Amino acid sequence: MESTWILIADAARARQFRVERPRGPLIEEADLVHPEERLSEGKLGADDPGRVRGPGGQQHALGGEDGKHENEARRFAAEVADFLRKAREEDRFRRLYLAASPHFLGALRQELDADTAARIVETWDKDFVGMRADEIRKHLPERL
């Protein structure tokens, strides 16, 4: 059987599973964690966001928490994509299924190289990252 991987992710964590046979259980092999995504705005970086002066001399912050969290999500997406690229180059999987929170799924797709993306069989914009493996399996197609 071709090796099949399932990646479950959000902006703070990515879990990689494999299945050994059709309809088989998920076997967790890797758990990548990006704790920076869980930090509050004040702890994400020492620099304050840039400021711009608007009409009437009022100052407004640029970026802020959304910008910092967006940067951290992109950074983690690049890390996860690199993990998948290296595994593909080592021929550790032939088929890849992705399930990720909608925003992170988009960031991850942008970071994947073409050869790794070509091995994707199906994607779901769902956040299963906090579930047990047997619970995740119930949400996936019976035959992977």
Side-chain angles (χ1 to χ4, degrees):
M1 178 182 147
E2 290 185 340
S3 52
T4 300
W5 275 20
I6 299 92
L7 185 85
I8 308 296
D10 65 16
R13 184 176 182 198
R15 299 168 65 197
Q16 178 262 312
F17 299 87
R18 70 178 161 82
V19 290
E20 293 181 340
R21 63 186 190 284
R23 298 185 181 104
L26 300 181
I27 301 163
E28 189 164 1
E29 295 185 318
D31 191 352
L32 307 170
V33 180
H34 190 70
E36 291 85 355
E37 179 59 27
R38 296 178 190 208
L39 295 176
S40 66
E41 174 185 0
K43 300 201 186 234
L44 271 176
D47 296 338
D48 287 332
R51 301 191 72 75
V52 64
R53 190 172 305 276
Q58 295 175 334
Q59 289 191 16
H60 303 279
L62 296 174
E65 185 170 353
D66 289 341
K68 289 179 184 179
H69 283 284
E70 177 72 25
N71 288 339
E72 288 303 323
R74 276 184 279 163
R75 184 174 292 128
F76 188 51
E79 182 181 325
V80 172
D82 190 52
F83 167 79
L84 292 172
R85 179 191 54 78
K86 287 176 183 174
R88 179 199 39 85
E89 289 173 347
E90 295 168 1
D91 205 26
R92 293 177 52 206
F93 68 90
R94 294 284 181 167
R95 300 161 35 100
L96 177 63
Y97 291 84
L98 298 176
S101 57
H103 184 72
F104 189 72
L105 183 58
L108 183 57
R109 283 180 174 149
Q110 289 180 347
E111 296 295 333
L112 290 171
D113 66 282
D115 291 335
T116 301
R119 293 196 183 183
I120 296 172
V121 176
E122 195 168 347
T123 62
W124 301 277
D125 57 351
K126 303 282 184 187
D127 189 353
F128 300 137
V129 85
M131 293 182 175
R132 294 186 328 257
D134 61 321
E135 293 173 324
I136 295 168
R137 186 65 177 101
K138 292 175 185 175
H139 291 278
L140 302 178
E142 189 175 308
R143 183 177 199 89
L144 290 179

Short mmCIF file of all heavy atoms in Angstrom, two decimals, residues 83-143:
data_model
loop_
_atom_site.label_atom_id
_atom_site.label_comp_id
_atom_site.label_asym_id
_atom_site.label_seq_id
_atom_site.Cartn_x
_atom_site.Cartn_y
_atom_site.Cartn_z
N PHE A 83 8.61 20.86 6.65
CA PHE A 83 8.53 19.51 7.22
C PHE A 83 7.97 18.54 6.17
O PHE A 83 8.50 17.45 5.95
CB PHE A 83 7.65 19.54 8.48
CG PHE A 83 7.22 18.20 8.98
CD1 PHE A 83 8.10 17.40 9.72
CD2 PHE A 83 5.94 17.73 8.74
CE1 PHE A 83 7.70 16.16 10.20
CE2 PHE A 83 5.53 16.49 9.22
CZ PHE A 83 6.41 15.70 9.94
N LEU A 84 6.87 18.94 5.50
CA LEU A 84 6.25 18.09 4.48
C LEU A 84 7.15 17.92 3.27
O LEU A 84 7.25 16.82 2.71
CB LEU A 84 4.90 18.67 4.08
CG LEU A 84 3.81 18.62 5.14
CD1 LEU A 84 2.57 19.39 4.69
CD2 LEU A 84 3.44 17.17 5.49
N ARG A 85 7.82 19.00 2.85
CA ARG A 85 8.72 18.91 1.70
C ARG A 85 9.84 17.90 1.96
O ARG A 85 10.13 17.05 1.12
CB ARG A 85 9.32 20.28 1.38
CG ARG A 85 10.30 20.26 0.19
CD ARG A 85 11.09 21.56 0.06
NE ARG A 85 11.79 21.94 1.27
CZ ARG A 85 12.94 21.41 1.70
NH1 ARG A 85 13.53 20.44 1.02
NH2 ARG A 85 13.52 21.84 2.81
N LYS A 86 10.47 18.00 3.13
CA LYS A 86 11.56 17.08 3.46
C LYS A 86 11.07 15.64 3.50
O LYS A 86 11.75 14.73 3.00
CB LYS A 86 12.18 17.46 4.81
CG LYS A 86 13.01 18.72 4.74
CD LYS A 86 13.52 19.11 6.12
CE LYS A 86 14.30 20.42 6.06
NZ LYS A 86 14.66 20.89 7.40
N ALA A 87 9.90 15.41 4.07
CA ALA A 87 9.34 14.06 4.12
C ALA A 87 9.04 13.54 2.72
O ALA A 87 9.28 12.37 2.41
CB ALA A 87 8.08 14.05 4.98
N ARG A 88 8.52 14.42 1.85
CA ARG A 88 8.25 14.00 0.46
C ARG A 88 9.55 13.65 -0.24
O ARG A 88 9.64 12.64 -0.94
CB ARG A 88 7.53 15.10 -0.31
CG ARG A 88 7.26 14.70 -1.76
CD ARG A 88 6.98 15.85 -2.68
NE ARG A 88 7.73 17.06 -2.49
CZ ARG A 88 8.96 17.29 -3.00
NH1 ARG A 88 9.60 16.37 -3.69
NH2 ARG A 88 9.55 18.46 -2.81
N GLU A 89 10.59 14.47 -0.05
CA GLU A 89 11.89 14.20 -0.68
C GLU A 89 12.48 12.88 -0.21
O GLU A 89 13.20 12.22 -0.95
CB GLU A 89 12.86 15.36 -0.40
CG GLU A 89 12.51 16.62 -1.16
CD GLU A 89 13.37 17.81 -0.77
OE1 GLU A 89 14.09 17.74 0.27
OE2 GLU A 89 13.32 18.83 -1.50
N GLU A 90 12.16 12.49 1.02
CA GLU A 90 12.61 11.20 1.56
C GLU A 90 11.64 10.08 1.20
O GLU A 90 11.81 8.95 1.64
CB GLU A 90 12.75 11.29 3.08
CG GLU A 90 13.83 12.26 3.53
CD GLU A 90 13.76 12.56 5.03
OE1 GLU A 90 12.90 12.00 5.74
OE2 GLU A 90 14.59 13.38 5.47
N ASP A 91 10.62 10.40 0.41
CA ASP A 91 9.59 9.47 -0.04
C ASP A 91 8.90 8.77 1.13
O ASP A 91 8.61 7.58 1.07
CB ASP A 91 10.19 8.45 -1.01
CG ASP A 91 9.13 7.90 -1.95
OD1 ASP A 91 8.12 8.59 -2.21
OD2 ASP A 91 9.30 6.75 -2.41
N ARG A 92 8.60 9.53 2.18
CA ARG A 92 7.95 8.97 3.35
C ARG A 92 6.44 8.88 3.19
O ARG A 92 5.76 8.22 3.97
CB ARG A 92 8.32 9.78 4.59
CG ARG A 92 9.81 9.63 4.92
CD ARG A 92 10.28 10.46 6.08
NE ARG A 92 9.46 10.24 7.27
CZ ARG A 92 9.33 11.15 8.23
NH1 ARG A 92 9.96 12.31 8.16
NH2 ARG A 92 8.59 10.90 9.28
N PHE A 93 5.88 9.58 2.20
CA PHE A 93 4.45 9.46 1.90
C PHE A 93 4.23 9.66 0.41
O PHE A 93 5.01 10.31 -0.27
CB PHE A 93 3.62 10.47 2.72
CG PHE A 93 3.83 11.91 2.33
CD1 PHE A 93 3.06 12.51 1.35
CD2 PHE A 93 4.81 12.67 2.96
CE1 PHE A 93 3.26 13.85 1.00
CE2 PHE A 93 5.02 13.99 2.63
CZ PHE A 93 4.25 14.59 1.64
N ARG A 94 3.16 9.03 -0.08
CA ARG A 94 2.75 9.19 -1.47
C ARG A 94 1.47 10.00 -1.58
O ARG A 94 1.24 10.68 -2.56
CB ARG A 94 2.51 7.82 -2.11
CG ARG A 94 3.73 6.98 -2.26
CD ARG A 94 4.54 7.49 -3.40
NE ARG A 94 5.72 6.65 -3.55
CZ ARG A 94 6.49 6.69 -4.60
NH1 ARG A 94 6.20 7.50 -5.58
NH2 ARG A 94 7.54 5.93 -4.66
N ARG A 95 0.62 9.86 -0.58
CA ARG A 95 -0.69 10.53 -0.58
C ARG A 95 -0.78 11.37 0.68
O ARG A 95 -0.37 10.93 1.75
CB ARG A 95 -1.80 9.50 -0.62
CG ARG A 95 -1.75 8.62 -1.84
CD ARG A 95 -2.54 7.31 -1.71
NE ARG A 95 -3.75 7.37 -0.95
CZ ARG A 95 -4.98 7.47 -1.45
NH1 ARG A 95 -5.15 7.55 -2.75
NH2 ARG A 95 -6.03 7.50 -0.67
N LEU A 96 -1.34 12.58 0.54
CA LEU A 96 -1.43 13.51 1.66
C LEU A 96 -2.85 14.07 1.74
O LEU A 96 -3.40 14.54 0.75
CB LEU A 96 -0.42 14.65 1.48
CG LEU A 96 -0.40 15.75 2.52
CD1 LEU A 96 -0.02 15.21 3.90
CD2 LEU A 96 0.57 16.86 2.09
N TYR A 97 -3.41 14.02 2.94
CA TYR A 97 -4.69 14.65 3.24
C TYR A 97 -4.41 15.77 4.23
O TYR A 97 -3.63 15.59 5.17
CB TYR A 97 -5.66 13.65 3.87
CG TYR A 97 -6.13 12.57 2.93
CD1 TYR A 97 -5.37 11.43 2.72
CD2 TYR A 97 -7.35 12.70 2.25
CE1 TYR A 97 -5.81 10.43 1.86
CE2 TYR A 97 -7.79 11.71 1.39
CZ TYR A 97 -7.01 10.57 1.20
OH TYR A 97 -7.45 9.59 0.35
N LEU A 98 -5.05 16.93 4.02
CA LEU A 98 -4.87 18.08 4.91
C LEU A 98 -6.20 18.51 5.49
O LEU A 98 -7.18 18.65 4.76
CB LEU A 98 -4.29 19.28 4.15
CG LEU A 98 -2.93 19.17 3.50
CD1 LEU A 98 -2.62 20.45 2.74
CD2 LEU A 98 -1.87 18.91 4.55
N ALA A 99 -6.22 18.73 6.81
CA ALA A 99 -7.37 19.33 7.47
C ALA A 99 -6.82 20.42 8.37
O ALA A 99 -5.97 20.16 9.22
CB ALA A 99 -8.15 18.30 8.29
N ALA A 100 -7.25 21.65 8.15
CA ALA A 100 -6.72 22.76 8.93
C ALA A 100 -7.80 23.83 9.08
O ALA A 100 -8.73 23.91 8.28
CB ALA A 100 -5.49 23.35 8.24
N SER A 101 -7.61 24.66 10.11
CA SER A 101 -8.52 25.78 10.27
C SER A 101 -8.48 26.59 8.96
O SER A 101 -7.44 26.65 8.30
CB SER A 101 -8.10 26.63 11.46
OG SER A 101 -6.77 27.08 11.32
N PRO A 102 -9.60 27.17 8.55
CA PRO A 102 -9.67 27.80 7.23
C PRO A 102 -8.54 28.80 6.94
O PRO A 102 -7.92 28.74 5.88
CB PRO A 102 -11.02 28.50 7.24
CG PRO A 102 -11.85 27.68 8.17
CD PRO A 102 -10.89 27.22 9.24
N HIS A 103 -8.26 29.68 7.86
CA HIS A 103 -7.22 30.68 7.62
C HIS A 103 -5.84 30.03 7.48
O HIS A 103 -5.06 30.39 6.60
CB HIS A 103 -7.22 31.71 8.75
CG HIS A 103 -6.25 32.82 8.54
ND1 HIS A 103 -6.45 33.80 7.60
CD2 HIS A 103 -5.05 33.08 9.11
CE1 HIS A 103 -5.42 34.63 7.61
NE2 HIS A 103 -4.57 34.22 8.52
N PHE A 104 -5.55 29.07 8.34
CA PHE A 104 -4.24 28.43 8.28
C PHE A 104 -4.11 27.55 7.04
O PHE A 104 -3.02 27.46 6.46
CB PHE A 104 -3.97 27.61 9.55
CG PHE A 104 -2.55 27.13 9.62
CD1 PHE A 104 -1.52 28.01 9.88
CD2 PHE A 104 -2.25 25.80 9.41
CE1 PHE A 104 -0.20 27.58 9.92
CE2 PHE A 104 -0.94 25.36 9.45
CZ PHE A 104 0.09 26.25 9.71
N LEU A 105 -5.18 26.94 6.61
CA LEU A 105 -5.13 26.12 5.40
C LEU A 105 -4.70 26.97 4.21
O LEU A 105 -3.87 26.55 3.40
CB LEU A 105 -6.48 25.46 5.13
CG LEU A 105 -6.56 24.53 3.93
CD1 LEU A 105 -5.57 23.38 4.04
CD2 LEU A 105 -7.99 23.99 3.79
N GLY A 106 -5.23 28.18 4.11
CA GLY A 106 -4.82 29.08 3.03
C GLY A 106 -3.35 29.45 3.12
O GLY A 106 -2.64 29.45 2.11
N ALA A 107 -2.87 29.74 4.32
CA ALA A 107 -1.46 30.08 4.51
C ALA A 107 -0.57 28.90 4.15
O ALA A 107 0.48 29.05 3.51
CB ALA A 107 -1.21 30.53 5.95
N LEU A 108 -0.97 27.70 4.56
CA LEU A 108 -0.18 26.50 4.28
C LEU A 108 -0.13 26.22 2.78
O LEU A 108 0.94 25.90 2.23
CB LEU A 108 -0.77 25.31 5.03
CG LEU A 108 -0.02 23.99 4.91
CD1 LEU A 108 1.43 24.13 5.34
CD2 LEU A 108 -0.73 22.92 5.72
N ARG A 109 -1.25 26.36 2.10
CA ARG A 109 -1.27 26.14 0.65
C ARG A 109 -0.29 27.07 -0.07
O ARG A 109 0.35 26.67 -1.04
CB ARG A 109 -2.67 26.36 0.10
CG ARG A 109 -3.61 25.23 0.35
CD ARG A 109 -4.97 25.55 -0.23
NE ARG A 109 -5.87 24.43 -0.13
CZ ARG A 109 -7.18 24.55 0.01
NH1 ARG A 109 -7.74 25.74 0.05
NH2 ARG A 109 -7.94 23.49 0.10
N GLN A 110 -0.19 28.31 0.40
CA GLN A 110 0.73 29.26 -0.23
C GLN A 110 2.19 28.87 -0.02
O GLN A 110 3.04 29.20 -0.84
CB GLN A 110 0.50 30.66 0.33
CG GLN A 110 -0.78 31.28 -0.12
CD GLN A 110 -0.98 32.67 0.46
OE1 GLN A 110 -0.29 33.09 1.37
NE2 GLN A 110 -1.94 33.40 -0.09
N GLU A 111 2.49 28.16 1.04
CA GLU A 111 3.87 27.80 1.37
C GLU A 111 4.32 26.47 0.77
O GLU A 111 5.51 26.22 0.67
CB GLU A 111 4.06 27.76 2.89
CG GLU A 111 3.88 29.10 3.56
CD GLU A 111 4.93 30.12 3.17
OE1 GLU A 111 6.06 29.74 2.80
OE2 GLU A 111 4.63 31.33 3.23
N LEU A 112 3.38 25.62 0.37
CA LEU A 112 3.75 24.31 -0.15
C LEU A 112 4.42 24.41 -1.51
O LEU A 112 3.97 25.17 -2.37
CB LEU A 112 2.51 23.42 -0.27
CG LEU A 112 1.89 22.94 1.03
CD1 LEU A 112 0.56 22.25 0.75
CD2 LEU A 112 2.82 22.01 1.78
N ASP A 113 5.46 23.64 -1.71
CA ASP A 113 6.08 23.58 -3.03
C ASP A 113 5.19 22.74 -3.95
O ASP A 113 4.32 21.98 -3.48
CB ASP A 113 7.49 22.98 -2.93
CG ASP A 113 7.47 21.53 -2.50
OD1 ASP A 113 7.30 21.26 -1.29
OD2 ASP A 113 7.60 20.66 -3.38
N ALA A 114 5.38 22.88 -5.25
CA ALA A 114 4.50 22.24 -6.23
C ALA A 114 4.50 20.72 -6.13
O ALA A 114 3.45 20.08 -6.24
CB ALA A 114 4.89 22.67 -7.64
N ASP A 115 5.66 20.11 -5.90
CA ASP A 115 5.73 18.65 -5.84
C ASP A 115 5.00 18.09 -4.62
O ASP A 115 4.37 17.04 -4.70
CB ASP A 115 7.19 18.18 -5.84
CG ASP A 115 7.86 18.43 -7.18
OD1 ASP A 115 7.16 18.49 -8.22
OD2 ASP A 115 9.09 18.55 -7.20
N THR A 116 5.09 18.78 -3.50
CA THR A 116 4.36 18.33 -2.31
C THR A 116 2.87 18.56 -2.51
O THR A 116 2.05 17.68 -2.21
CB THR A 116 4.86 19.07 -1.05
OG1 THR A 116 6.26 18.82 -0.90
CG2 THR A 116 4.12 18.62 0.19
N ALA A 117 2.49 19.71 -3.03
CA ALA A 117 1.08 20.00 -3.28
C ALA A 117 0.46 18.98 -4.23
O ALA A 117 -0.73 18.65 -4.10
CB ALA A 117 0.92 21.41 -3.83
N ALA A 118 1.25 18.45 -5.16
CA ALA A 118 0.74 17.47 -6.12
C ALA A 118 0.35 16.16 -5.45
O ALA A 118 -0.43 15.39 -6.01
CB ALA A 118 1.78 17.21 -7.20
N ARG A 119 0.85 15.90 -4.26
CA ARG A 119 0.52 14.66 -3.54
C ARG A 119 -0.73 14.79 -2.67
O ARG A 119 -1.17 13.84 -2.06
CB ARG A 119 1.70 14.21 -2.70
CG ARG A 119 2.87 13.79 -3.58
CD ARG A 119 3.89 13.00 -2.85
NE ARG A 119 5.01 12.71 -3.74
CZ ARG A 119 6.03 11.98 -3.41
NH1 ARG A 119 6.12 11.47 -2.20
NH2 ARG A 119 7.01 11.75 -4.27
N ILE A 120 -1.31 15.98 -2.63
CA ILE A 120 -2.52 16.18 -1.83
C ILE A 120 -3.70 15.53 -2.54
O ILE A 120 -3.97 15.81 -3.70
CB ILE A 120 -2.80 17.68 -1.60
CG1 ILE A 120 -1.68 18.31 -0.77
CG2 ILE A 120 -4.15 17.88 -0.92
CD1 ILE A 120 -1.78 19.81 -0.64
N VAL A 121 -4.39 14.68 -1.81
CA VAL A 121 -5.56 13.98 -2.34
C VAL A 121 -6.82 14.80 -2.05
O VAL A 121 -7.68 14.96 -2.91
CB VAL A 121 -5.69 12.57 -1.71
CG1 VAL A 121 -6.94 11.88 -2.18
CG2 VAL A 121 -4.45 11.75 -2.02
N GLU A 122 -6.91 15.32 -0.83
CA GLU A 122 -8.10 16.06 -0.43
C GLU A 122 -7.75 16.99 0.73
O GLU A 122 -6.85 16.70 1.51
CB GLU A 122 -9.20 15.08 -0.01
CG GLU A 122 -10.57 15.69 0.07
CD GLU A 122 -11.66 14.63 0.21
OE1 GLU A 122 -11.41 13.43 0.01
OE2 GLU A 122 -12.79 15.04 0.54
N THR A 123 -8.49 18.10 0.83
CA THR A 123 -8.31 19.02 1.95
C THR A 123 -9.67 19.34 2.56
O THR A 123 -10.70 19.27 1.88
CB THR A 123 -7.65 20.35 1.53
OG1 THR A 123 -8.49 21.02 0.58
CG2 THR A 123 -6.27 20.13 0.93
N TRP A 124 -9.64 19.68 3.85
CA TRP A 124 -10.84 20.10 4.55
C TRP A 124 -10.50 21.33 5.36
O TRP A 124 -9.47 21.35 6.05
CB TRP A 124 -11.36 19.01 5.50
CG TRP A 124 -11.67 17.74 4.79
CD1 TRP A 124 -12.80 17.41 4.13
CD2 TRP A 124 -10.81 16.59 4.69
NE1 TRP A 124 -12.70 16.14 3.61
CE2 TRP A 124 -11.48 15.62 3.94
CE3 TRP A 124 -9.52 16.30 5.14
CZ2 TRP A 124 -10.93 14.38 3.65
CZ3 TRP A 124 -8.96 15.08 4.85
CH2 TRP A 124 -9.67 14.13 4.12
N ASP A 125 -11.34 22.34 5.31
CA ASP A 125 -11.12 23.54 6.12
C ASP A 125 -11.84 23.38 7.46
O ASP A 125 -12.82 24.04 7.76
CB ASP A 125 -11.53 24.82 5.38
CG ASP A 125 -12.97 24.83 4.94
OD1 ASP A 125 -13.64 23.77 5.04
OD2 ASP A 125 -13.46 25.88 4.51
N LYS A 126 -11.32 22.45 8.24
CA LYS A 126 -11.86 22.11 9.55
C LYS A 126 -10.72 22.07 10.55
O LYS A 126 -9.61 21.64 10.23
CB LYS A 126 -12.54 20.74 9.54
CG LYS A 126 -13.65 20.59 8.53
CD LYS A 126 -14.90 21.25 9.01
CE LYS A 126 -16.03 20.99 8.01
NZ LYS A 126 -17.20 21.72 8.30
N ASP A 127 -11.01 22.47 11.79
CA ASP A 127 -10.00 22.45 12.83
C ASP A 127 -10.23 21.25 13.75
O ASP A 127 -11.09 21.27 14.62
CB ASP A 127 -10.04 23.75 13.63
CG ASP A 127 -8.88 23.89 14.59
OD1 ASP A 127 -8.11 22.92 14.74
OD2 ASP A 127 -8.74 24.96 15.18
N PHE A 128 -9.46 20.19 13.52
CA PHE A 128 -9.55 18.96 14.31
C PHE A 128 -8.38 18.82 15.28
O PHE A 128 -8.23 17.79 15.91
CB PHE A 128 -9.55 17.73 13.40
CG PHE A 128 -10.67 17.66 12.40
CD1 PHE A 128 -10.41 17.27 11.09
CD2 PHE A 128 -11.97 17.95 12.75
CE1 PHE A 128 -11.43 17.17 10.16
CE2 PHE A 128 -13.00 17.86 11.82
CZ PHE A 128 -12.73 17.47 10.53
N VAL A 129 -7.52 19.82 15.36
CA VAL A 129 -6.23 19.67 16.03
C VAL A 129 -6.35 19.26 17.50
O VAL A 129 -5.49 18.55 18.01
CB VAL A 129 -5.37 20.95 15.85
CG1 VAL A 129 -5.68 22.01 16.87
CG2 VAL A 129 -3.90 20.62 15.86
N GLY A 130 -7.41 19.64 18.19
CA GLY A 130 -7.55 19.31 19.60
C GLY A 130 -8.23 17.97 19.87
O GLY A 130 -8.40 17.59 21.02
N MET A 131 -8.58 17.24 18.82
CA MET A 131 -9.30 15.97 18.98
C MET A 131 -8.33 14.80 19.13
O MET A 131 -7.21 14.84 18.66
CB MET A 131 -10.19 15.71 17.76
CG MET A 131 -11.31 16.66 17.58
SD MET A 131 -12.25 16.14 16.11
CE MET A 131 -13.59 17.27 16.16
N ARG A 132 -8.85 13.73 19.74
CA ARG A 132 -8.09 12.47 19.80
C ARG A 132 -8.08 11.85 18.40
O ARG A 132 -8.96 12.12 17.57
CB ARG A 132 -8.75 11.50 20.77
CG ARG A 132 -8.72 11.93 22.22
CD ARG A 132 -9.26 10.82 23.14
NE ARG A 132 -10.31 10.00 22.54
CZ ARG A 132 -11.61 10.12 22.81
NH1 ARG A 132 -12.04 11.02 23.67
NH2 ARG A 132 -12.49 9.32 22.23
N ALA A 133 -7.11 10.99 18.16
CA ALA A 133 -6.96 10.37 16.84
C ALA A 133 -8.23 9.62 16.42
O ALA A 133 -8.64 9.71 15.26
CB ALA A 133 -5.76 9.43 16.83
N ASP A 134 -8.86 8.89 17.34
CA ASP A 134 -10.06 8.14 16.97
C ASP A 134 -11.22 9.07 16.63
O ASP A 134 -12.05 8.75 15.78
CB ASP A 134 -10.44 7.14 18.07
CG ASP A 134 -10.74 7.79 19.40
OD1 ASP A 134 -10.06 8.76 19.79
OD2 ASP A 134 -11.69 7.33 20.08
N GLU A 135 -11.28 10.25 17.27
CA GLU A 135 -12.32 11.22 16.94
C GLU A 135 -12.07 11.82 15.56
O GLU A 135 -13.00 12.01 14.78
CB GLU A 135 -12.37 12.33 17.99
CG GLU A 135 -12.83 11.89 19.36
CD GLU A 135 -12.70 13.00 20.39
OE1 GLU A 135 -11.73 13.80 20.33
OE2 GLU A 135 -13.57 13.07 21.27
N ILE A 136 -10.82 12.14 15.28
CA ILE A 136 -10.47 12.70 13.96
C ILE A 136 -10.84 11.70 12.88
O ILE A 136 -11.43 12.07 11.85
CB ILE A 136 -8.96 13.03 13.88
CG1 ILE A 136 -8.61 14.15 14.87
CG2 ILE A 136 -8.57 13.41 12.45
CD1 ILE A 136 -7.11 14.35 15.06
N ARG A 137 -10.53 10.44 13.11
CA ARG A 137 -10.77 9.40 12.10
C ARG A 137 -12.24 9.36 11.69
O ARG A 137 -12.57 9.13 10.52
CB ARG A 137 -10.33 8.03 12.64
CG ARG A 137 -10.40 6.92 11.61
CD ARG A 137 -9.40 7.20 10.50
NE ARG A 137 -9.34 6.16 9.51
CZ ARG A 137 -9.94 6.24 8.30
NH1 ARG A 137 -10.64 7.29 7.97
NH2 ARG A 137 -9.82 5.25 7.45
N LYS A 138 -13.14 9.61 12.61
CA LYS A 138 -14.58 9.60 12.32
C LYS A 138 -14.99 10.70 11.34
O LYS A 138 -15.99 10.58 10.66
CB LYS A 138 -15.38 9.74 13.61
CG LYS A 138 -15.27 8.55 14.52
CD LYS A 138 -16.00 8.80 15.83
CE LYS A 138 -15.78 7.65 16.79
NZ LYS A 138 -16.38 7.92 18.11
N HIS A 139 -14.20 11.76 11.25
CA HIS A 139 -14.52 12.89 10.36
C HIS A 139 -13.90 12.74 8.98
O HIS A 139 -14.20 13.52 8.08
CB HIS A 139 -14.02 14.19 10.98
CG HIS A 139 -14.78 14.61 12.19
ND1 HIS A 139 -15.99 15.28 12.13
CD2 HIS A 139 -14.53 14.42 13.51
CE1 HIS A 139 -16.43 15.51 13.35
NE2 HIS A 139 -15.57 14.99 14.20
N LEU A 140 -13.05 11.75 8.80
CA LEU A 140 -12.35 11.55 7.54
C LEU A 140 -13.05 10.48 6.71
O LEU A 140 -13.83 9.68 7.26
CB LEU A 140 -10.90 11.14 7.80
CG LEU A 140 -10.08 12.13 8.64
CD1 LEU A 140 -8.67 11.57 8.87
CD2 LEU A 140 -10.01 13.49 8.00
N PRO A 141 -12.79 10.45 5.41
CA PRO A 141 -13.40 9.39 4.60
C PRO A 141 -13.05 8.01 5.15
O PRO A 141 -11.95 7.80 5.66
CB PRO A 141 -12.77 9.59 3.21
CG PRO A 141 -12.27 10.98 3.22
CD PRO A 141 -11.91 11.31 4.63
N GLU A 142 -13.99 7.10 5.05
CA GLU A 142 -13.78 5.75 5.60
C GLU A 142 -12.54 5.11 4.97
O GLU A 142 -11.76 4.48 5.64
CB GLU A 142 -15.03 4.90 5.35
CG GLU A 142 -14.97 3.58 6.06
CD GLU A 142 -16.27 2.80 5.90
OE1 GLU A 142 -17.34 3.36 6.19
OE2 GLU A 142 -16.20 1.64 5.48
N ARG A 143 -12.43 5.26 3.67
CA ARG A 143 -11.31 4.62 2.96
C ARG A 143 -10.32 5.70 2.53
O ARG A 143 -10.59 6.47 1.64
CB ARG A 143 -11.84 3.87 1.76
CG ARG A 143 -10.81 3.12 1.01
CD ARG A 143 -11.43 2.34 -0.15
NE ARG A 143 -10.55 1.29 -0.58
CZ ARG A 143 -10.55 0.06 -0.09
NH1 ARG A 143 -11.40 -0.27 0.84
NH2 ARG A 143 -9.72 -0.84 -0.54
#
